Amino acid sequence: MMPLGLLSMGEKAEVMEVRGMPQTSPCCADNKGDQPCSQVCRVEDMGLRTGKTVEMLNNKGGGALLVKIDETRIAIGRGMAMKVMVRRKQ
């Protein structure tokens, strides 16, 4: 496993886990306003979930990354991308 932020442009990988949130913790979609959303919840709500295949579209060293999930493109900050653990696909 490796962080999403270390994938090269054009590489595909499967999301294994999103660090920083316990597995049993409810995410924003289930949260009824009882607690503030974390950055990890926002990423999962955008579609970056365990088991999904992502393709790195832009990783030029500095700033945000552009990834493709299904048919959607999302920009994710480098710090958050380093918390998303992936496994490269051949």
Side-chain angles (χ1 to χ4, degrees), residues 1-7 81-86:
M1 282 195 321
M2 63 184 283
L4 175 63
L6 297 181
L7 285 180
M82 295 304 280
K83 294 180 184 177
V84 178
M85 303 306 290
V86 298

Side-chain angles (χ1 to χ4, degrees), residues 31-46:
N31 190 357
K32 303 293 186 227
D34 300 334
Q35 47 188 301
C37 294
S38 70
Q39 215 175 13
V40 177
C41 283
R42 289 189 194 112
V43 169
E44 286 191 344
D45 285 347
M46 287 189 287

Side-chain angles (χ1 to χ4, degrees), residues 1-8 10-19 48-56 81-90:
M1 282 195 321
M2 63 184 283
L4 175 63
L6 297 181
L7 285 180
S8 299
E11 279 190 302
K12 292 184 180 182
E14 178 184 355
V15 178
M16 301 306 292
E17 72 175 303
V18 181
R19 293 192 173 175
L48 195 57
R49 293 193 167 104
T50 303
K52 289 284 191 172
T53 299
V54 298
E55 180 181 355
M56 182 63 67
M82 295 304 280
K83 294 180 184 177
V84 178
M85 303 306 290
V86 298
R87 180 178 55 203
R88 282 190 179 123
K89 286 194 164 187
Q90 299 295 336

